[in-house]
Amino acid sequence: MTDPATLFEPATRGLFIDRLVRCLGWLAVLVGLCKALLEAYEIRLYAIQTYGPVIHEFDPWFNYRAAEYLAANGFERFFKWFDHTVWYPLGRPVGTTIYPGMQVVAVLIWKA
């Protein structure tokens, strides 16, 4: 074991400083990683803190209803569909606010 009094002698000072710099570097990486994880967590919870615990964009029930509507009414009516049952009291123009890929694939699989 190294005598602590010898750490600051000229022969061992360089080794001590190298170890200190390496430890500080790892500490900076750890602090940066923790900060990034905390920021990611806060960004993810922003909608819940602002609007409450409501399912927003990825609502599976809406996606099911949209696929069902597409299967029953076809493409033309689907892209002109204004859904009065969501985003109360305004409603939602589904045809202009949705990426229909999942619904189209679901209907194609269902009809196959």
Side-chain angles (χ1 to χ4, degrees):
M1 187 163 143
T2 306
D3 181 20
T6 63
L7 287 176
F8 295 104
E9 292 180 4
T12 58
R13 189 176 301 153
L15 181 61
F16 175 74
I17 291 174
D18 288 343
R19 287 182 180 170
L20 179 64
V21 168
R22 187 177 305 139
C23 287
L24 289 176
W26 280 109
L27 182 63
V29 167
L30 183 63
V31 167
L33 183 61
C34 289
K35 172 93 171 107
L37 290 173
L38 180 63
E39 192 70 24
Y41 182 74
E42 289 177 357
I43 288 170
R44 186 70 179 129
L45 289 182
Y46 174 76
I48 292 173
Q49 293 170 347
T50 304
Y51 305 110
V54 177
I55 297 175
H56 295 283
E57 291 84 12
F58 304 108
D59 184 0
W61 177 246
F62 171 76
N63 289 325
Y64 171 77
R65 284 184 42 247
E68 190 176 49
Y69 188 91
L70 176 61
N73 298 297
F75 283 108
E76 187 174 341
R77 289 195 61 200
F78 178 74
F79 289 111
K80 294 178 181 176
W81 178 31
F82 189 89
D83 190 2
H84 295 280
T85 63
V86 296
W87 293 359
Y88 182 81
L90 303 174
R92 176 182 181 184
V94 177
T96 59
T97 62
I98 190 173
Y99 294 112
M102 184 176 61
Q103 289 80 17
V104 171
V105 170
V107 171
L108 290 175
I109 291 172
W110 177 70
K111 288 190 175 188

